[in-house]
Amino acid sequence: DAASLVTSYTPGPADMDAGQVEICLTVTGLNGCSPQEDCLTLVINPLPEAFAGADKTICAGSNVNLSATAQQYNQVIWTTSGDGTFTSVNALQTTYIPGPEDEASGGAELCITASGNGICEDAVDCMQLTIQPGPVAFAGEDLSICETEDVQLNGSAQNHMSVFWTTSGTGGFSNPQTLNPLYMPSNADILNGSVQLCLKANGLNGCGNVTDCLTVTIYHIPEVLAGSEITICENEILDLAGTAENYGSIEWTSTGDGTFDDPFNLNTSYTPGPDDLLTQQAQICLTATGLGNCGDVSDCFTLWLQSSPIVDVGDDHAVCQSGIIPLDAMAENYSDLLWTTNGDGYFSDPSVLNTEYIPGPQDIENGLTEVCLTAYGLNGCGEVNECILITYVPEPTAFAGAD
């Protein structure tokens, strides 16, 4: 109200642009007295302005450069809702160094305050700083497989945009861009005995990448050789010399009732048992326990037991001096036979069981002869010899006297 002593004045745009305005109060005198006027100058201070800048996203472990703008201010000051620090809190251009709590909470609000001239209020503007955690990758623990197996991978990753598997070998992945692919080892991988598989995680918002690796040990299937089929004599002990590769342990076993000197040693011996001797055979097996996930492998051979030769030529007996002596013997488990004598007679066939002995003059004169039969065992299983005594009885004589 311009006609009231107490009023208010609202500056116009031109006043603000000019920065001041002159305000005058004029009073009209009573009874024709001349009017009086008094003026004052109103100085208009502009309001401060501040702009902290647009919101920003940085990677964990990084600092952020700030470039604010401000007008109509005496000074500026930066503040944070977090625990980081500014390289200069009173500069428009400064650097903010995030603190541990900032990174843990994922960011902070950064504000700039511009202090106005005179009585004007401060201007405050804030921007949101987002801290993007770096990528994390875990390929998994080292593992082992058998050469016949594929590798089931179970990787994990955080704060990633994409993942990718690589190998130090020449095998292939079912899909290298997933966390849990299958890896198929190549022949070269298997030959090398191990391969390194690495998981790479690419970070969000360009926040770098990280790689983690695991080692796959590839075990070969056991190879085992017990030996070849063999025949030994029933009174012998079998020496064993097996071979094995790619195994954790070995053990000898038998289908019979014999015993091993040391069943857990490649080089050992086997003593046949009574049942073995009765059946004249046993299966001898060598089993190798596989490494890792590889199964057991066994190899067997047949042990044949050869019985010793047996011979029976009968009892001692007496014959007439003039007779041919038939010999009837019994023998088993033999390859060859041979009749012999300590006399000067001879055999009709010295190589057969049933033969004849024709005494010689010295036999008759001596009155007795020893004849022996030797049986030679099969497969070199020794020999056995048995003898009898033949006594020669003179022919009876009679003399009736002279005519």
Side-chain angles (χ1 to χ4, degrees):
D1 183 356
S4 174
L5 286 174
V6 179
T7 188
S8 61
Y9 178 74
T10 301
D15 297 340
M16 294 181 183
D17 290 342
Q20 65 180 25
V21 63
E22 186 178 71
I23 300 175
C24 296
L25 175 61
T26 301
V27 294
T28 303
L30 294 172
N31 300 311
C33 292
S34 60
Q36 296 291 316
E37 182 181 69
D38 187 49
C39 298
L40 62 85
T41 299
L42 174 65
V43 177
I44 303 172
N45 291 323
L47 291 171
E49 298 178 7
F51 178 62
D55 295 343
K56 290 189 175 185
T57 298
I58 63 171
C59 300
S62 301
N63 300 330
V64 58
N65 293 321
L66 301 172
S67 182
T69 59
Q71 296 178 5
Q72 317 300 335
Y73 66 94
N74 283 331
Q75 66 173 5
V76 295
I77 185 169
W78 284 95
T79 56
T80 174
S81 63
D83 64 337
T85 58
F86 298 92
T87 55
S88 176
V89 296
N90 299 119
L92 290 172
Q93 285 76 40
T94 187
T95 299
Y96 182 69
I97 304 167
E101 293 182 6
D102 293 340
E103 298 206 355
S105 62
E109 186 180 61
L110 307 181
C111 297
I112 188 169
T113 299
S115 300
N117 294 315
I119 61 173
C120 294
E121 294 181 356
D122 297 342
V124 178
D125 187 57
C126 299
M127 53 90 68
Q128 183 64 44
L129 174 65
T130 300
I131 301 176
Q132 176 62 56
V136 177
F138 179 59
E141 300 292 343
D142 293 344
L143 51 88
S144 62
I145 62 168
C146 191
E147 62 180 328
T148 57
E149 296 179 306
D150 295 332
V151 184
Q152 177 61 64
L153 294 166
N154 292 293
S156 61
Q158 298 174 3
N159 311 316
H160 65 284
M161 180 176 64
S162 62
V163 296
F164 195 81
W165 286 94
T166 58
T167 173
S168 64
T170 56
F173 296 92
S174 58
N175 184 349
Q177 296 179 344
T178 63
L179 286 170
N180 306 312
L182 276 177
Y183 179 73
M184 288 72 72
S186 66
N187 290 333
D189 294 343
I190 294 171
L191 185 63
N192 289 335
S194 67
V195 65
Q196 189 178 67
L197 306 179
C198 296
L199 175 63
K200 178 181 180 181
N202 298 306
L204 296 166
N205 299 306
C207 287
N209 58 71
V210 65
T211 300
D212 185 59
C213 301
L214 63 85
T215 298
V216 179
T217 300
I218 305 172
Y219 290 114
H220 297 281
I221 296 173
E223 297 179 11
V224 61
L225 180 62
S228 301
E229 181 176 310
I230 190 173
T231 300
I232 65 171
C233 301
E234 63 181 357
N235 58 352
E236 289 182 327
I237 295 174
L238 175 65
D239 289 326
L240 296 167
T243 60
E245 295 181 2
N246 312 317
Y247 65 93
S249 62
I250 61 97
E251 183 178 8
W252 289 96
T253 56
S254 166
T255 58
D257 63 340
T259 57
F260 295 93
D261 179 54
D262 182 356
F264 305 108
N265 195 319
L266 284 172
N267 301 306
T268 187
S269 61
Y270 180 73
T271 302
D275 288 346
D276 295 341
L277 298 176
L278 184 63
T279 60
Q280 295 189 317
Q281 68 169 356
Q283 285 285 314
I284 306 298
C285 297
L286 177 61
T287 299
T289 302
L291 298 168
N293 295 332
C294 293
D296 299 346
V297 174
S298 297
D299 184 55
C300 302
F301 67 87
T302 301
L303 169 64
W304 298 99
L305 298 170
Q306 179 60 57
S307 299
S308 299
I310 299 173
V311 66
D312 182 7
V313 294
D315 298 324
D316 297 343
H317 56 277
V319 297
C320 293
Q321 289 179 336
S322 60
I324 295 174
I325 305 163
L327 297 171
D328 296 317
M330 184 278 294
E332 295 179 2
N333 310 318
Y334 64 90
S335 60
D336 295 292
L337 298 170
L338 180 64
W339 287 96
T340 58
T341 178
N342 65 350
D344 62 341
Y346 63 93
F347 299 93
S348 60
D349 186 347
S351 63
V352 296
L353 280 173
N354 302 316
T355 188
E356 295 175 334
Y357 181 69
I358 298 89
Q362 191 65 48
D363 294 332
I364 302 300
E365 182 179 343
N366 290 339
L368 60 82
T369 302
E370 182 182 67
V371 294
C372 299
L373 177 60
T374 300
Y376 296 94
L378 294 166
N379 298 302
C381 289
E383 60 187 63
V384 64
N385 177 276
E386 188 171 89
C387 302
I388 58 171
L389 285 175
I390 300 174
T391 303
Y392 301 102
V393 178
E395 295 283 345
T397 60
F399 183 65
D403 293 338

